[in-house]
Amino acid sequence: MNMKLVFSELEDKEKKLITEKFGKYQLVFLNEPLKQDNLDKYIDADILSIFVNSRIDRSIIERMPKLKMIATRSTGFDHIDIEACKEHGIVVSNVPRYGDHTIAEHAFALLLAIVKNLLLSVERVKKGIFSYKGLRGLELKGKTLGVIGTGNIGKNMIKIAKGFDMTVIAYDAYPDYEIANQLGYKYVSFEELLTNSDIISIHVPLLPSTRHMINKQNLHLLKKGVIIINTARGPIIETEALLLGLEKGIIGAAGLDVLEGEHDLVQVPELINHNFEKQINYKLLALNYMLIHHPRVIITPHNAFNTQEASERILFTTIENINSFLNGKPINRVV
Ligand code: NAI
């Protein structure tokens, strides 16, 4: 049987490698995320390899009767309806641990950019103004970093923070006390973390239990002026609470690589063409634009994963994931 393998959003050199590895199958590449309105050409796919911008919901799965496997080229898999995959016997594999350092470095880059006023400073010099007036920053030494989620990425964030002589506290549903002793940080309750952190960095997956973990109800617990860094998933913070916190001065600044509803932002050019048939959360879209233009918020476009080294790891693991599935022994399964 000649299987059809569909890959979305690959770069040219990645397509070349995939063609070398899977040339004996029917290969199809699409340059944009897979979605309802471009699905027609791909509904007979046996294997799908996608990135986080392809939202594989139940309605897409139900339109793909031959689909047997989804190889997501990401660690997180909240963009795939896992329950629907289970019901239809579709194997889902992810790429764990490709970016333990890459993501932690990006989180720290966002933090340093905020405390050192990096963006404003660079902008000012480019305008020809060589003056530090009004650009006073903060020192990280001695500040308390609260890490939510001490998995692979969270632990690297802690190691980096220790190099900056920061005090680290952490919250995790499954604390790792041995590593805490080794690295010199302390587990606290979620409420204590909110109350005592000068900086909070989020490294939990998006699950029903982590959705809106920081919200309008617990905003008052935050230390005044706290800096929030989120490189995990947008919906872990309630966007309205974030804006409210910034407005009230509870939140001093935020550095974000992910936004709640970031996929709707991708559709903005279509909105300009008056395509109002899309299922878009317009309120969230408006709140996101308020965040994007907020003077104390810096946002990168879900770019934390995007290093040369991590991209290579992602592709090689995806090839292994698909090969293992084809050989009847799937690895890195989430379903
Ligand atoms: P991991 O699985 O190693 O660590 C997650 C940690 O969160 C675990 O220690 C787990 O016990 C904890 N956790 C889970 N549910 C919890 C809850 N309800 N309350 C408290 N703790 C809870 O995951 P890893 O590799 O560190 O990645 C974390 C997340 O980072 C991913 O799930 C993904 O969403 C995000 N990510 C973002 C990227 C980006 O480009 N911005 C790239 C890669 C990952």
Side-chain angles (χ1 to χ4, degrees), residues 22-39:
F22 298 112
K24 63 176 173 179
Y25 300 104
Q26 195 188 337
L27 291 181
V28 182
F29 300 113
L30 76 151
N31 293 328
E32 53 178 356
L34 188 74
K35 32 188 182 183
Q36 274 295 354
D37 48 10
N38 64 12
L39 188 64

Side-chain angles (χ1 to χ4, degrees), residues 75 98 103 149-153 171-174 203-205 207 209-210 213 231-233 257-258 302 304-305:
T75 304
Y98 73 79
I103 317 300
T150 54
N152 298 314
I153 297 169
Y171 168 70
D172 195 292
Y174 303 95
H203 302 287
V204 283
L207 299 167
S209 58
T210 60
M213 254 180 136
T231 52
R233 285 293 181 265
D257 185 51
V258 284
H302 204 137
F305 77 98

Side-chain angles (χ1 to χ4, degrees), residues 149-302:
T150 54
N152 298 314
I153 297 169
K155 284 191 184 98
N156 279 313
M157 185 70 186
I158 294 171
K159 283 187 202 160
I160 299 174
K162 283 289 168 179
F164 277 75
D165 279 340
M166 297 178 80
T167 301
V168 181
I169 55 175
Y171 168 70
D172 195 292
Y174 303 95
D176 185 341
Y177 293 109
E178 207 180 306
I179 296 282
N181 275 338
Q182 267 176 39
L183 297 182
Y185 68 91
K186 203 172 103 188
Y187 281 104
V188 296
S189 70
F190 184 58
E191 287 69 25
E192 279 176 283
L193 183 138
L194 295 187
T195 311
N196 294 311
S197 303
D198 299 304
I199 295 138
I200 293 177
S201 191
I202 301 176
H203 302 287
V204 283
L206 175 61
L207 299 167
S209 58
T210 60
R211 180 175 290 272
H212 289 183
M213 254 180 136
I214 297 179
N215 54 48
K216 289 202 286 280
Q217 282 70 45
N218 60 25
L219 199 59
H220 69 280
L221 293 176
L222 293 170
K223 195 166 177 176
K224 196 170 160 51
V226 64
I227 297 169
I228 296 188
I229 307 293
N230 188 8
T231 52
R233 285 293 181 265
I236 296 168
I237 306 177
E238 183 183 14
T239 306
E240 219 173 321
L242 187 53
L243 279 161
L244 202 65
L246 284 158
E247 189 190 302
K248 289 187 167 180
I250 300 171
I251 298 172
L256 314 169
D257 185 51
V258 284
L259 294 173
E260 189 175 22
E262 65 188 38
H263 304 282
D264 288 342
L265 286 174
V266 175
Q267 299 185 11
V268 167
E270 296 171 32
L271 281 183
I272 292 162
N273 292 331
H274 303 288
N275 186 347
F276 288 109
E277 281 165 22
K278 303 251 180 286
Q279 294 285 312
I280 285 178
N281 182 334
Y282 290 102
K283 181 178 173 192
L284 199 49
L285 192 61
L287 294 177
N288 276 332
Y289 274 93
M290 288 166 77
L291 268 184
I292 290 169
H293 295 288
H294 197 287
R296 284 181 282 124
V297 177
I298 59 170
I299 300 176
T300 50
H302 204 137

